[in-house]
Amino acid sequence: MPIFYGKVALVEFLNSVKSTNSTIGFVPTMGALHQGHLSLMQQSLAENQHTVVSIFVNPTQFNNAEDLEKYPRTLEEDTKKITQLDPNIIIYAPTVDDIYEGKVTSQDFDFDGLENQMEGKFRPGHFNGVGTIVKRLFEIVSPDNAYFGEKDFQQLQIVKKMVSKNHLNVKIIGCNIFRETNGLAMSSRNERLSAEEREKASIIYQTLLEAKEKFKTQDCNEVKNWVNTIFESNDIFDLEYFEIADEETLIPCEKQSKDKNYRAFIAVFVNNIRLIDTISLK
Ligand code: PAF
């Protein structure tokens, strides 16, 4: 299994394996891999001759020092999982210095307002950090296709915007959310929940499903109010936001319009652990 800790050796290796007709698929991750990440890798393996997976806990996208410190770092287990899936996957697990070269700061991006909604309101600077690392990784790996989970739908739209504004030659592919059996969206943070919290967290997806049903006959604000009341009466989960927004612009819905595709977004805290989820309302 080829594993690289520095970009120079990785680029040299990729230049040597890439032949005229082969494509590189890329799955950027922050490690603590779960089935959701592995499904992105499977898709990349099915669609490309070579797959690169990066494992890098990116400091500039954390707006909370404690969250960065507590983020699980499990490189050994991660590499085992990847090798079991396919020993030919190329792993890039750089140091902070290999990426940031002594200057750990974010670039300032203009994502045409996508960055100001939802996650952007609650996590200042987060998307500049994401834009910075994804652009940097694309420059190093030069992938043909890159795979992102739809759980972070706002991130997915932001990456697409960054690619189009910078004229980068990479196709961004959004992949379905992988869920636990009770419907909870897979996330590295789920490991930090107690067994009881993890079971009860099914309320998040159940609420999204019911909201989708209600949205067929009710307007945006009615559905939003209903979700607020659900969480007001819950003593384990604190709702940070529930929003219904246009999928393209992420502008919140005030009144349903037939020619728009809407999506519901939710962020919930349980015991200081932040969980997000989303569902298409089509
Ligand atoms: O979604 C993530 O895990 C991260 O935001 C990403 C895309 C790997 C960038 O650090």
Side-chain angles (χ1 to χ4, degrees), residues 195-212:
E196 187 195 356
E197 287 163 349
R198 198 158 175 163
E199 196 41 53
K200 290 195 167 155
S202 60
I203 186 175
I204 302 170
Y205 186 49
Q206 285 313 319
T207 307
L208 288 181
L209 288 174
E210 277 188 58
K212 180 172 177 147

Side-chain angles (χ1 to χ4, degrees), residues 20-35:
T20 34
N21 284 328
S22 67
T23 58
I24 295 187
F26 178 44
V27 182
T29 81
M30 297 209 297
L33 301 178
H34 50 67
Q35 201 50 47

Side-chain angles (χ1 to χ4, degrees), residues 49-212:
Q49 281 69 39
H50 305 285
T51 289
V52 178
V53 173
S54 64
I55 299 177
F56 180 64
V57 181
N58 173 36
T60 62
Q61 71 187 78
F62 286 81
N63 54 311
N64 175 329
E66 193 189 334
D67 209 16
L68 171 60
E69 195 198 316
K70 285 202 174 148
Y71 203 86
R73 286 150 173 96
T74 53
L75 186 59
E76 209 172 305
E77 286 150 56
D78 291 343
T79 47
K80 267 192 208 138
K81 285 181 189 166
I82 296 175
T83 316
Q84 270 165 13
L85 184 69
D86 187 324
N88 294 316
I89 292 179
I90 302 153
I91 302 175
Y92 176 41
T95 58
V96 171
D97 216 42
D98 192 55
I99 294 289
Y100 285 101
E101 299 176 344
K103 204 163 167 259
V104 187
T105 50
S106 294
Q107 189 180 331
D108 250 331
F109 288 94
D110 172 7
F111 299 114
D112 288 345
L114 293 174
E115 70 277 29
N116 299 327
Q117 309 295 343
M118 297 170 298
E119 293 296 287
K121 281 190 191 146
F122 292 91
R123 304 182 68 188
H126 169 68
F127 287 122
N128 277 334
V130 171
T132 302
I133 184 61
V134 173
K135 185 160 171 276
R136 190 82 196 96
L137 289 169
F138 284 175
E139 285 160 359
I140 295 167
V141 177
S142 297
D144 299 279
N145 300 307
Y147 298 81
F148 292 81
E150 281 192 347
K151 179 167 81 71
D152 297 294
F153 192 85
Q154 189 170 8
Q155 166 173 284
L156 173 64
Q157 296 298 63
I158 278 189
V159 169
K160 284 183 181 166
K161 182 69 77 180
M162 189 270 290
V163 163
S164 112
K165 285 200 155 194
N166 289 279
H167 312 288
L168 303 183
N169 198 10
V170 48
K171 186 171 171 203
I172 304 302
I173 298 163
C175 307
N176 288 341
I177 299 177
F178 220 84
R179 298 185 179 279
E180 301 193 357
T181 35
N182 71 352
L184 176 64
M186 290 227 177
S187 161
S188 312
R189 292 180 181 177
N190 295 356
E191 297 301 323
R192 288 164 58 194
L193 302 173
S194 70
E196 187 195 356
E197 287 163 349
R198 198 158 175 163
E199 196 41 53
K200 290 195 167 155
S202 60
I203 186 175
I204 302 170
Y205 186 49
Q206 285 313 319
T207 307
L208 288 181
L209 288 174
E210 277 188 58
K212 180 172 177 147

